[in-house]
Amino acid sequence: MTGQSLNAETRARLETVSVASLATLLFKRGLRNQVIQNVRPVAPKGRNMVGPAFTLRYMPAREDRNTLDVFRDPEHKQRKAIETCPPGHVLLIDSRKDARAASAGDILVSRLMMRGAAGIVTDGGFRDAMRIGELDIPAYHQRPSSPTNLTLHEAIEINGPIGCGDAPVFPGDVIVGDDDSVIVIPAHLADEIAEEAVEMTAYEDFVIEQVRAGASIIGLYPCTREAHRTAFEQWRKARGR
């Protein structure tokens, strides 16, 4: 995978695996800080959010630059980000981990949904959070926040590198969110991580069955015994996985 492309097979694989599994696979490669901290679903969707990152960065607002009149400007960076985020992408907003003022509200998130975005994430908060939770688009934030973004934030840059919840995000990185949290996969690793995660998930599903049947985790998780490997392959073949 290169640039901002995400092939259909990789997307489909990432839709079936947990953020926890992806975090473990990135940890194996020395990447420890890819989970976006202190964000959670506005409302659980029961499915994964997957897409390349399209970013918006806020800086601290200066009062003389951030009056309500700035929203009349068609080039206002917040509005522009909503109208230019490509379909299938996830809009990532760097709000400096500050949820005292909203990153966006239900009207903007509704527009993003209608334009075909895969989701939206902020390390700040959303206003109208209850209504956002009712939308079909996956949305993640720190907590609800009613004050307009202009109170504390100025939208200053579109689609540059950002930090979001202490995770580094570069445009085109692959974002995956489940009902727990959100992770950032460097673009060049997405294909191999997705393939390995499907394999890992299959084995963990087998392990869960064994543990619930009374098996010890010793030698099973992680797998260090040939008998478990053989049993897993038989289990997998029987289920067409």
Side-chain angles (χ1 to χ4, degrees), residues 130-150:
M130 184 178 296
R131 292 180 180 177
I132 290 173
E134 294 170 351
L135 298 174
D136 189 52
I137 186 172
Y140 296 78
H141 70 167
Q142 186 184 137
R143 63 167 173 81
S145 180
S146 295
T148 175
N149 65 298
L150 301 175

Side-chain angles (χ1 to χ4, degrees), residues 158-217:
I158 295 174
N159 219 29
I162 62 170
C164 189
D166 292 325
V169 184
F170 293 86
D173 283 349
V174 177
I175 309 302
V176 181
D178 60 15
D179 283 346
D180 286 341
S181 55
V182 181
I183 195 165
V184 183
I185 305 174
H188 68 283
L189 293 175
D191 294 340
E192 65 182 76
I193 289 286
E195 184 175 1
E196 190 172 339
V198 169
E199 297 297 309
M200 180 178 179
T201 298
Y203 185 71
E204 289 182 347
D205 288 347
F206 165 74
V207 168
I208 285 290
E209 282 195 17
Q210 298 302 303
V211 168
R212 289 177 178 172
S216 167
I217 60 170

Side-chain angles (χ1 to χ4, degrees), residues 14-18 40-50 133 135-140 176-181:
L14 291 174
E15 287 173 347
T16 68
V17 300
S18 70
R40 54 197 56 84
V42 175
K45 300 301 181 188
R47 68 181 192 274
N48 281 10
M49 171 188 73
V50 181
L135 298 174
D136 189 52
I137 186 172
Y140 296 78
V176 181
D178 60 15
D179 283 346
D180 286 341
S181 55

